[in-house]
Amino acid sequence: MDVLTTTAGAPSASAAGTAGPATPASSAADPFRPEWHFTSERNWLNDPNGMVYLNGTYHLFYQHNPFGPDWGNMSWGHATSRDLLSWEEQPVAIPCDEREAIFSGSAVFDQHNTSGLGTAGNPPLVAIYTSAYSDASPLGGRQAQSLAYSLDEGTTWTKYSGNPVLDRASADFRDPKVFRYDGGAGSYWVMVAVEAVERQVVLYKSADLKSWEYLSTFGPANATGGVWECPDLFELPVDGNPADSRWVLIVNINPGGIAGGSAGQYFLGEFDGVAFRSGSTVTEGLQQDGSLMREYGWLDWGRDYYAAVSFSGIADGRRIMIGWMNNWDYAGSTPTGGWRSAMSLPREVSLARLDGKVVLRQAAIDPFEGAISPGVRCGPRPLPPGVLELPASAAVARIDVEFEPGTANSVGLLVRAGRAERTVLSYDVEEGLLRLDRRESGQAGFHHSFPSVEAVAVPLQDGRLRLKIYLDRCSVEVFAQDGLATITDLVFPAEASTALAVFAEGEGAHLVALDVVGR
Ligand code: FRU
C-alpha cells in the first residue's frame, strides 16, 4: 500500500487531537461507546421521544428499558444538553407501570397554559405519548394517546388523570407528534399519529391538548412494505424564503426501508390546517425512476437511521432531527456491553431548489466545528489507480473529502481499516452510485442481515463528489454533496482498526482536497 504525503497539518489525526466546543463523553474500556452520539449509560434505548428546547436546554426523551439491555418495560428515559452534542442523562422521566407501557410521542411547551395543567405564571411542558395497555388494564391490547406534564422544566412528570385523551379502540394507533399550527385555518394544536398497520397518518386538532377532533387521513402512499411509525409534519422555507415553503411529512417505516428493515421516508407537499397533500401517489411511488424523488424520498439510504423526528420549541427557524441509529432487523443483537443503541448525530434539515427541483438537505450538528486546525490535509493531487494509505488514523473523526473522478471507473475511501477488516465507501462513476460496504467492517456475524452494502444515486456536481463523513467508534455517517444524500451505518470493528485510505480504479482521478479532523 502506498502512503499519501500530506500538504499541511500534523502527521497524525490522532496526534492532532483537535477538540470541538463540547466535551466528549467517556469511552474508557468500551470500544464501541460513541463519544458524540447519545447512549444511555446502561440498558436498552430506541426511538427519540419528546424532543423539546426550553430555556437554553435541549431535552431528549427516549424509548428506554430501565431494567435491561433488551426491548421491554418501555418508559421514557431523559437526557439534557445545551449544545446537542454533550448529553447528561437524567432520571427516567415517565416510567411504565403494570397497566401501560409508555411508547413513543412528543412534547410541547404549553406557553399559554391552554391545557390548564400548569398556571399562567408557570406554564407546563406537556408530553403526548402512546399508552400501550397491558391486559392488567381495562383497555388491554389497545394503543391510545395520553398526556403527562411537568412544572419544573422536565425534571419530574405527572400523568394526567383523564388519560387517555384520544382512543380509537385501535391496537396500532401510536407515536403522536404534536405541533402548534398558526395559519389560514386558525391557531390550534395539531397531532399527527399513525394507524401503523393501515399505513396511514391520522391528523387531529385540539384547543387544549385534552380533547381532540379528527381532521384527515393521509396514506397509504409510496413505501408501504412495513408498518408506518413515528410521523412528523413541519413547514420549511425553500432556500430560506418564507414566501416559498413546503410542508414535510415524515413517515418512518419498518420493514420496507430502502436499505432493508427500518428507514424514514418523507413527502413534500402542502398542509392547509386540515389535510396534508402531496404530489406523490401510490402509482408514482411504485416507479423506480428518478422522477419519484421530486415528491418524496428517503431521509437516509443506510441501515441505521430510524424513528427520526424533529425538536419542538426551537424558535430560530432551525429544524433539527434525531434518529435512532439502529434497525429493528438486528437491534436486539448488536454486540455492545450493558448498553444498547445510540442516537444519530442531530441533523439540521432544510429545503433548497436544485435544477428546478425542491430537495431536502441535511447537515449534522458538527462536534468538530470550531476545531482549530485540520489534523491532516492533502490535495489537490492526482489519484493514481490503487490504494493510498493516509498518514492518519481515527475511530472518532470528521473527514471532508472532494474527488474529481475524471476518467477513472471509481474512487473512494477505506475507513476503520485494519489487517482483516475495513468499511468501504466507493463511488462508481458510470452508475453514479455511492456505496457503503460494511460486509467486512468487523464483527458482522451477530445477525444474518447485518452484513450489507448500501447504495444511493448521487450525481457529480461540476464533475466532483464531496463527502463529509463522521466516524464515532461504532458508526459511519456520510453526507454526500452537501447533505443531498446521507448514509448512516453501524460498524463494529476492532479498536485497533483505525487506518484510513483513499483509492481509485482506473486512470484520471484527482483528489481535490481531503481533511481529517479527529481524535
Ligand atoms: C418505533 C416503535 C414505535 C413505538 C416504539 C415502541 O421504533 O415501534 O412505533 O412507539 O417503537 O418502543
Side-chain angles (χ1 to χ4, degrees):
M1 218 185 240
D2 288 339
V3 175
L4 256 188
T5 49
T6 55
T7 53
S12 143
S14 48
T18 45
T23 316
S26 148
S27 62
D30 192 346
F32 298 137
R33 174 87 76 176
E35 290 199 10
W36 302 106
H37 292 70
F38 177 70
T39 54
S40 68
E41 191 56 33
R42 294 173 52 72
N43 296 330
W44 170 272
L45 163 160
N46 58 291
D47 313 357
N49 294 155
M51 292 189 290
V52 60
Y53 177 73
L54 181 64
N55 294 335
T57 298
Y58 296 92
H59 294 267
L60 165 66
F61 301 90
Y62 51 93
Q63 289 287 280
H64 184 46
N65 178 357
F67 306 112
D70 300 305
W71 188 88
N73 307 304
M74 295 322 296
S75 301
W76 278 26
H78 184 199
T80 51
S81 173
R82 297 186 80 81
D83 61 5
L84 289 165
L85 291 166
S86 304
W87 293 96
E88 200 175 319
E89 190 168 343
Q90 307 291 343
V92 169
I94 312 177
C96 63
D97 61 29
E98 62 290 351
R99 282 181 309 262
E100 64 170 5
I102 315 298
F103 274 19
S104 289
S106 51
V108 292
F109 177 50
D110 182 15
Q111 191 174 359
H112 301 295
N113 193 31
T114 60
S115 62
L117 295 170
T119 59
N122 187 19
L125 264 181
V126 180
I128 307 94
Y129 67 88
T130 297
S131 295
Y133 292 107
S134 72
D135 291 342
S137 158
L139 298 176
R142 287 191 195 181
Q143 296 183 348
Q145 314 322 323
S146 292
L147 306 180
Y149 58 98
S150 171
L151 301 176
D152 54 11
E153 299 202 6
T155 306
T156 59
W157 290 83
T158 306
K159 287 181 183 172
Y160 171 51
S161 57
N163 283 341
V165 293
L166 183 53
D167 180 6
R168 290 164 53 106
S170 164
D172 291 286
F173 172 41
R174 58 180 179 266
D175 306 342
K177 177 76 201 271
V178 171
F179 65 92
R180 189 79 198 165
Y181 170 79
D182 277 299
S187 178
Y188 42 81
W189 300 106
V190 171
M191 177 195 295
V192 288
V194 288
E195 278 293 350
V197 175
E198 310 296 322
R199 281 74 162 153
Q200 288 183 324
V201 173
V202 289
L203 290 86
Y204 284 79
K205 76 179 213 181
S206 174
D208 60 5
L209 297 167
K210 292 170 173 167
S211 65
W212 292 91
E213 181 189 327
Y214 173 78
L215 289 176
S216 60
T217 296
F218 177 85
N222 298 341
T224 54
V227 292
W228 279 20
E229 299 186 317
C230 301
D232 197 354
L233 180 61
F234 48 82
E235 188 177 18
L236 285 179
V238 179
D239 291 324
N241 176 7
D244 180 18
S245 70
R246 298 287 183 284
W247 285 79
V248 185
L249 177 69
I250 306 288
V251 179
N252 288 278
I253 175 172
N254 175 62
I258 183 66
S262 323
Q265 62 173 325
Y266 68 88
F267 301 81
L268 299 183
E270 281 156 29
F271 175 60
D272 60 6
V274 177
F276 174 81
R277 291 184 192 82
S278 173
S280 51
T281 66
V282 173
T283 319
E284 279 174 330
L286 292 175
Q287 293 171 1
Q288 290 301 314
D289 65 30
S291 69
L292 66 82
M293 292 305 297
R294 236 195 324 270
E295 298 295 346
Y296 80 106
W298 295 98
L299 283 175
D300 193 282
W301 297 74
R303 296 272 277 152
D304 298 299
Y305 188 72
Y306 190 57
V309 287
S310 69
F311 272 88
S312 71
I314 299 180
D316 61 11
R318 285 176 309 151
R319 180 61 59 172
I320 294 176
M321 302 183 73
I322 296 182
W324 173 45
M325 199 159 56
N326 216 325
N327 190 312
W328 280 117
D329 276 359
Y330 45 72
S333 313
T334 50
T336 51
W339 59 277
R340 212 177 244 134
S341 292
M343 294 301 175
S344 71
L345 282 178
R347 299 179 178 187
E348 182 174 353
V349 293
S350 58
L351 296 179
R353 199 179 297 277
L354 192 76
D355 302 330
K357 276 196 273 182
V358 176
V359 295
L360 189 89
R361 267 190 207 287
Q362 303 181 74
I365 305 298
D366 187 348
F368 301 99
E369 195 170 307
I372 292 145
S373 69
V376 166
R377 172 174 292 169
C378 348
R381 53 155 288 161
L383 199 56
V387 178
L388 293 175
E389 191 174 338
L390 296 173
S393 58
V396 182
R398 187 191 72 207
I399 303 164
D400 291 281
V401 61
E402 187 164 349
F403 292 105
E404 200 168 80
T407 54
N409 303 323
S410 70
V411 291
L413 283 126
L414 309 182
V415 299
R416 297 308 308 269
R419 288 172 68 85
E421 58 192 40
R422 69 208 59 79
T423 298
V424 185
L425 190 59
S426 63
Y427 184 75
D428 184 299
V429 178
E430 197 175 304
E431 294 176 307
L433 285 181
L434 179 68
R435 289 197 172 83
L436 196 148
D437 181 346
R438 66 173 179 189
R439 288 174 300 177
E440 295 178 354
S441 57
Q443 290 186 50
F446 55 85
H447 192 277
H448 67 87
S449 78
F450 186 80
S452 59
V453 184
E454 283 53 83
V456 55
V458 176
L460 295 178
Q461 291 177 352
D462 298 326
R464 292 183 174 186
L465 174 70
R466 267 188 310 283
L467 304 174
K468 199 181 272 290
I469 303 150
Y470 295 90
L471 307 180
D472 195 359
R473 298 199 187 281
C474 68
S475 61
V476 182
E477 284 161 294
V478 182
F479 293 74
Q481 306 294 43
D482 304 310
L484 286 180
T486 67
I487 302 180
T488 300
D489 265 10
L490 292 173
V491 290
F492 298 100
E495 196 170 4
S497 297
T498 54
L500 300 169
V502 288
F503 65 86
E505 284 171 9
E507 301 279 350
H510 274 79
L511 182 63
V512 181
L514 184 144
D515 288 339
V516 183
V517 184
R519 297 163 45 78

